[in-house]
Amino acid sequence: MSSTWAEQVWAVLKKDVLLEARSRVSLNATLFFAAIVLLTFSFALGPDRRQLASAASGLLWLAFIFSGLLAFGRIYQLEMENSAFEGLLLLARNRSAIYMGKVLGAMAVMLAIEAVVLPMTAVLYTLDVAANLPLLILSLFLGTTGFAAIGALYGALTASLRSREVLLPLLLLPVTAPVILAAVKATSLALTGGSADVARWVELLLVFDVVFVTAGLLTFEYAPGE
Amino acid sequence: MQWIQRRGYVLGTSGLGLLLVGGYLGLVWSPPDASEHDLVRIMYVHVPVAWTMYLAFFLVMVGSAMYLWKRDLKWDRLAGSAAEIGLLLTALTLVAGSIWARPTWGVWWTWDPRLTTTAILFVIYAGYLMLRTLQTNPLARARQAAVVGIIGFLDIPVIQLSVEWWRSLHQGPTFTALNDPTIDDRMEVTLFVNLAAVTLLFLFLLGRRLRLASMEQERDELLWREAQRV
């Protein structure tokens, strides 16, 4: 019985999620990491409430970015440790399906972290989360997708290299600069209830997501080191 | 590519010659700008170098895509060589931009859209070269570098758009001399001469680097064969 592309994606995603759910190491660790990042930034910027509130969107995304970097490394760690990259092919013949499964898995981790860190930050910095909640959720979702699209690709690329921890951020961050700019801007507008050029930033995120998920689907088969 | 490698001396000498002419035109013959006065002369360095930088990165993408298609390592050599020279050109673009920024705005750096985009490009291609250095398996290196080369180039228009929007909302100053449609004839000539000069020099350097890359590959193959015999 041959499986459809969607079934293959689901197979990859389910495997990763199940393993995570049973061990829960990665999610816990990454969650605490995001919290520590946020606290450290607060110490670095000082206790001035207004300064923190105006920088809140940027700080949030910095925390998400750092957590994401951890996640993109981890989603391939199992495969690397057990030389299991070929095993993935048993689950999903289409490498593009493997890619999609990994993207969704990375997104699941990042979104779970965002769901916890956002309320926490809202309390710490007295943010008005309800000012434009739909836009807030949209920005978080689209921004996370953009990151995960490149992260899942470059994560596979750097997984087999010893210098992975340095190379992954070095490759990922400049390429995702548009996502960072747009997501921070859109999130900031959502938190302050502003509406200036909202459509523009959301459009930019959408374009980035579409272009780079497509690029990932097409080039993933060339990415892994083995 | 063979074409470029074989005509090295022609490209090099003509490029150098044109550069000297262009230098004279730029520094002496062309008039100062109405608003920027002599500062505009930086444009004769900045624009040609920036254009050649984009040409280099375009070649990186071509080499990357062709390698994934044909699996002939000569395309990988093109991508790697073009990226090295491209990175140098990016650094020169940034330096020229900084030198222009200092007297214009009083600071060495400003988040001008073009400067910011160029800085991001610098890091993207530095990362590309780092990957090439750190991946020791030559076939994996060619394949993986090709992915990064293609993604990086695809991102260039997206980065430019996003940075421009990011800056325009803050009404930042931009490199206005380039947007002037009523550019003086003498400035146009100077610009094109320098453009031709830098492009020729780039092709010359590319040819030398390609030769070097070929020789490196031959050496590696020889070493590998020796290792097999022992």
Side-chain angles (χ1 to χ4, degrees), chain B residues 1-32:
Chain B
M1 277 185 280
Q2 291 279 36
W3 182 90
I4 298 178
Q5 291 177 61
R6 287 209 203 99
R7 282 167 188 63
Y9 291 114
V10 173
L11 289 170
T13 39
S14 58
L16 202 55
L18 268 181
L19 194 67
L20 292 170
V21 172
Y24 170 75
L25 292 180
L27 290 170
V28 180
W29 183 73
S30 67

Short mmCIF file of all heavy atoms in Angstrom, two decimals, chain B residues 1-32:
data_model
loop_
_atom_site.label_atom_id
_atom_site.label_comp_id
_atom_site.label_asym_id
_atom_site.label_seq_id
_atom_site.Cartn_x
_atom_site.Cartn_y
_atom_site.Cartn_z
N MET B 1 33.17 29.47 -19.32
CA MET B 1 34.14 29.61 -18.23
C MET B 1 35.57 29.43 -18.74
O MET B 1 36.49 30.11 -18.30
CB MET B 1 33.86 28.57 -17.15
CG MET B 1 32.77 29.04 -16.23
SD MET B 1 32.54 27.89 -14.89
CE MET B 1 31.55 26.64 -15.65
N GLN B 2 35.73 28.49 -19.65
CA GLN B 2 37.05 28.34 -20.28
C GLN B 2 37.43 29.65 -20.95
O GLN B 2 38.57 30.07 -20.92
CB GLN B 2 36.99 27.23 -21.34
CG GLN B 2 36.82 25.86 -20.76
CD GLN B 2 38.14 25.29 -20.27
OE1 GLN B 2 38.98 26.02 -19.76
NE2 GLN B 2 38.30 24.00 -20.43
N TRP B 3 36.46 30.28 -21.56
CA TRP B 3 36.64 31.53 -22.27
C TRP B 3 37.27 32.58 -21.36
O TRP B 3 38.23 33.25 -21.73
CB TRP B 3 35.28 31.98 -22.79
CG TRP B 3 35.28 33.24 -23.58
CD1 TRP B 3 35.44 33.35 -24.92
CD2 TRP B 3 35.12 34.57 -23.08
NE1 TRP B 3 35.38 34.66 -25.29
CE2 TRP B 3 35.19 35.44 -24.18
CE3 TRP B 3 34.94 35.10 -21.81
CZ2 TRP B 3 35.07 36.81 -24.05
CZ3 TRP B 3 34.82 36.48 -21.68
CH2 TRP B 3 34.89 37.32 -22.81
N ILE B 4 36.71 32.68 -20.13
CA ILE B 4 37.23 33.67 -19.20
C ILE B 4 38.64 33.31 -18.78
O ILE B 4 39.51 34.15 -18.68
CB ILE B 4 36.34 33.76 -17.94
CG1 ILE B 4 34.94 34.20 -18.32
CG2 ILE B 4 36.93 34.73 -16.94
CD1 ILE B 4 34.02 34.27 -17.13
N GLN B 5 38.87 32.04 -18.54
CA GLN B 5 40.18 31.63 -18.05
C GLN B 5 41.25 31.85 -19.10
O GLN B 5 42.37 32.22 -18.79
CB GLN B 5 40.14 30.15 -17.65
CG GLN B 5 39.31 29.91 -16.41
CD GLN B 5 39.21 28.45 -16.05
OE1 GLN B 5 40.22 27.81 -15.79
NE2 GLN B 5 38.02 27.91 -16.05
N ARG B 6 40.89 31.65 -20.36
CA ARG B 6 41.94 31.78 -21.39
C ARG B 6 42.29 33.22 -21.70
O ARG B 6 43.39 33.50 -22.12
CB ARG B 6 41.49 31.06 -22.67
CG ARG B 6 41.54 29.57 -22.51
CD ARG B 6 41.81 28.87 -23.83
NE ARG B 6 41.32 27.50 -23.73
CZ ARG B 6 40.15 27.12 -24.21
NH1 ARG B 6 39.38 27.95 -24.87
NH2 ARG B 6 39.76 25.88 -24.06
N ARG B 7 41.30 34.12 -21.55
CA ARG B 7 41.60 35.49 -21.92
C ARG B 7 42.00 36.35 -20.74
O ARG B 7 41.79 37.55 -20.74
CB ARG B 7 40.38 36.11 -22.60
CG ARG B 7 40.33 35.61 -24.03
CD ARG B 7 39.04 35.89 -24.72
NE ARG B 7 39.00 35.22 -26.01
CZ ARG B 7 39.04 33.91 -26.17
NH1 ARG B 7 39.13 33.13 -25.13
NH2 ARG B 7 39.00 33.38 -27.37
N GLY B 8 42.61 35.74 -19.76
CA GLY B 8 42.95 36.44 -18.52
C GLY B 8 43.72 37.72 -18.74
O GLY B 8 43.36 38.77 -18.22
N TYR B 9 44.77 37.67 -19.52
CA TYR B 9 45.61 38.86 -19.65
C TYR B 9 44.90 39.99 -20.36
O TYR B 9 45.06 41.15 -20.02
CB TYR B 9 46.92 38.51 -20.35
CG TYR B 9 47.79 37.66 -19.46
CD1 TYR B 9 48.09 36.34 -19.78
CD2 TYR B 9 48.25 38.16 -18.24
CE1 TYR B 9 48.85 35.56 -18.93
CE2 TYR B 9 49.00 37.39 -17.39
CZ TYR B 9 49.30 36.09 -17.74
OH TYR B 9 50.05 35.32 -16.89
N VAL B 10 44.10 39.64 -21.35
CA VAL B 10 43.34 40.69 -22.05
C VAL B 10 42.38 41.38 -21.08
O VAL B 10 42.32 42.60 -20.98
CB VAL B 10 42.52 40.08 -23.22
CG1 VAL B 10 41.61 41.11 -23.83
CG2 VAL B 10 43.47 39.51 -24.24
N LEU B 11 41.64 40.55 -20.34
CA LEU B 11 40.68 41.09 -19.38
C LEU B 11 41.40 41.95 -18.34
O LEU B 11 40.95 43.04 -18.00
CB LEU B 11 39.92 39.96 -18.69
CG LEU B 11 38.92 39.19 -19.54
CD1 LEU B 11 38.43 37.96 -18.78
CD2 LEU B 11 37.74 40.07 -19.87
N GLY B 12 42.50 41.41 -17.83
CA GLY B 12 43.19 42.11 -16.75
C GLY B 12 43.75 43.44 -17.18
O GLY B 12 43.54 44.46 -16.52
N THR B 13 44.47 43.45 -18.30
CA THR B 13 45.09 44.70 -18.70
C THR B 13 44.05 45.72 -19.14
O THR B 13 44.15 46.90 -18.80
CB THR B 13 46.10 44.49 -19.85
OG1 THR B 13 45.56 43.54 -20.76
CG2 THR B 13 47.43 44.01 -19.32
N SER B 14 43.05 45.28 -19.87
CA SER B 14 42.05 46.26 -20.30
C SER B 14 41.29 46.79 -19.09
O SER B 14 40.97 47.98 -19.02
CB SER B 14 41.08 45.65 -21.32
OG SER B 14 40.44 44.53 -20.76
N GLY B 15 41.02 45.91 -18.14
CA GLY B 15 40.33 46.35 -16.93
C GLY B 15 41.13 47.37 -16.17
O GLY B 15 40.63 48.42 -15.75
N LEU B 16 42.41 47.08 -16.01
CA LEU B 16 43.28 47.99 -15.28
C LEU B 16 43.39 49.33 -15.99
O LEU B 16 43.33 50.40 -15.40
CB LEU B 16 44.66 47.36 -15.11
CG LEU B 16 45.53 47.89 -13.98
CD1 LEU B 16 44.78 47.80 -12.66
CD2 LEU B 16 46.84 47.11 -13.92
N GLY B 17 43.56 49.24 -17.32
CA GLY B 17 43.65 50.46 -18.12
C GLY B 17 42.42 51.33 -17.97
O GLY B 17 42.50 52.53 -17.70
N LEU B 18 41.27 50.68 -18.11
CA LEU B 18 40.02 51.42 -17.99
C LEU B 18 39.86 52.01 -16.59
O LEU B 18 39.30 53.09 -16.42
CB LEU B 18 38.83 50.51 -18.29
CG LEU B 18 38.35 50.48 -19.73
CD1 LEU B 18 37.15 49.56 -19.85
CD2 LEU B 18 37.99 51.88 -20.21
N LEU B 19 40.37 51.28 -15.60
CA LEU B 19 40.27 51.76 -14.23
C LEU B 19 41.07 53.07 -14.07
O LEU B 19 40.62 54.01 -13.42
CB LEU B 19 40.78 50.71 -13.25
CG LEU B 19 40.41 50.95 -11.79
CD1 LEU B 19 38.92 50.83 -11.59
CD2 LEU B 19 41.14 49.97 -10.89
N LEU B 20 42.25 53.09 -14.69
CA LEU B 20 43.06 54.31 -14.60
C LEU B 20 42.36 55.47 -15.29
O LEU B 20 42.28 56.59 -14.77
CB LEU B 20 44.44 54.06 -15.21
CG LEU B 20 45.32 53.09 -14.43
CD1 LEU B 20 46.56 52.72 -15.24
CD2 LEU B 20 45.72 53.71 -13.11
N VAL B 21 41.82 55.19 -16.47
CA VAL B 21 41.07 56.23 -17.18
C VAL B 21 39.88 56.68 -16.33
O VAL B 21 39.65 57.87 -16.13
CB VAL B 21 40.56 55.69 -18.54
CG1 VAL B 21 39.63 56.69 -19.19
CG2 VAL B 21 41.73 55.38 -19.45
N GLY B 22 39.16 55.68 -15.83
CA GLY B 22 37.99 55.98 -15.01
C GLY B 22 38.33 56.78 -13.78
O GLY B 22 37.58 57.66 -13.36
N GLY B 23 39.50 56.48 -13.21
CA GLY B 23 39.93 57.23 -12.04
C GLY B 23 40.15 58.69 -12.37
O GLY B 23 39.71 59.59 -11.66
N TYR B 24 40.80 58.92 -13.50
CA TYR B 24 41.02 60.30 -13.92
C TYR B 24 39.68 61.00 -14.18
O TYR B 24 39.44 62.11 -13.72
CB TYR B 24 41.89 60.35 -15.18
CG TYR B 24 41.95 61.72 -15.79
CD1 TYR B 24 42.73 62.73 -15.20
CD2 TYR B 24 41.19 62.04 -16.91
CE1 TYR B 24 42.75 64.00 -15.73
CE2 TYR B 24 41.22 63.31 -17.44
CZ TYR B 24 42.00 64.30 -16.85
OH TYR B 24 42.01 65.56 -17.38
N LEU B 25 38.82 60.32 -14.92
CA LEU B 25 37.52 60.91 -15.22
C LEU B 25 36.76 61.23 -13.94
O LEU B 25 36.16 62.27 -13.78
CB LEU B 25 36.68 59.95 -16.07
CG LEU B 25 37.15 59.69 -17.49
CD1 LEU B 25 36.19 58.71 -18.17
CD2 LEU B 25 37.24 60.97 -18.28
N GLY B 26 36.81 60.27 -13.02
CA GLY B 26 36.04 60.43 -11.79
C GLY B 26 36.54 61.53 -10.90
O GLY B 26 35.76 62.29 -10.32
N LEU B 27 37.87 61.63 -10.80
CA LEU B 27 38.42 62.59 -9.85
C LEU B 27 38.62 63.98 -10.45
O LEU B 27 38.61 64.97 -9.74
CB LEU B 27 39.78 62.07 -9.32
CG LEU B 27 39.67 60.86 -8.41
CD1 LEU B 27 41.04 60.27 -8.14
CD2 LEU B 27 39.01 61.25 -7.10
N VAL B 28 38.83 64.06 -11.74
CA VAL B 28 39.19 65.36 -12.33
C VAL B 28 38.16 65.85 -13.35
O VAL B 28 37.63 66.95 -13.25
CB VAL B 28 40.57 65.28 -13.02
CG1 VAL B 28 40.94 66.61 -13.63
CG2 VAL B 28 41.61 64.82 -12.02
N TRP B 29 37.85 64.98 -14.30
CA TRP B 29 37.10 65.44 -15.48
C TRP B 29 35.63 65.69 -15.18
O TRP B 29 35.05 66.66 -15.65
CB TRP B 29 37.26 64.38 -16.58
CG TRP B 29 36.63 64.72 -17.87
CD1 TRP B 29 37.05 65.64 -18.78
CD2 TRP B 29 35.47 64.09 -18.43
NE1 TRP B 29 36.22 65.63 -19.88
CE2 TRP B 29 35.25 64.69 -19.70
CE3 TRP B 29 34.61 63.07 -18.01
CZ2 TRP B 29 34.20 64.31 -20.52
CZ3 TRP B 29 33.57 62.71 -18.83
CH2 TRP B 29 33.37 63.33 -20.07
N SER B 30 35.01 64.80 -14.42
CA SER B 30 33.57 64.94 -14.20
C SER B 30 33.29 66.07 -13.21
O SER B 30 34.12 66.38 -12.36
CB SER B 30 33.00 63.63 -13.66
OG SER B 30 33.48 63.38 -12.37
N PRO B 31 32.13 66.70 -13.35
CA PRO B 31 31.84 67.87 -12.53
C PRO B 31 31.35 67.48 -11.14
O PRO B 31 30.83 66.39 -10.95
CB PRO B 31 30.72 68.56 -13.31
CG PRO B 31 30.00 67.44 -13.96
CD PRO B 31 31.03 66.39 -14.29
N PRO B 32 31.51 68.38 -10.17
CA PRO B 32 30.91 68.10 -8.87
C PRO B 32 29.39 68.22 -8.94
O PRO B 32 28.87 68.93 -9.81
CB PRO B 32 31.49 69.20 -7.96
CG PRO B 32 32.16 70.17 -8.85
CD PRO B 32 32.25 69.62 -10.23
#
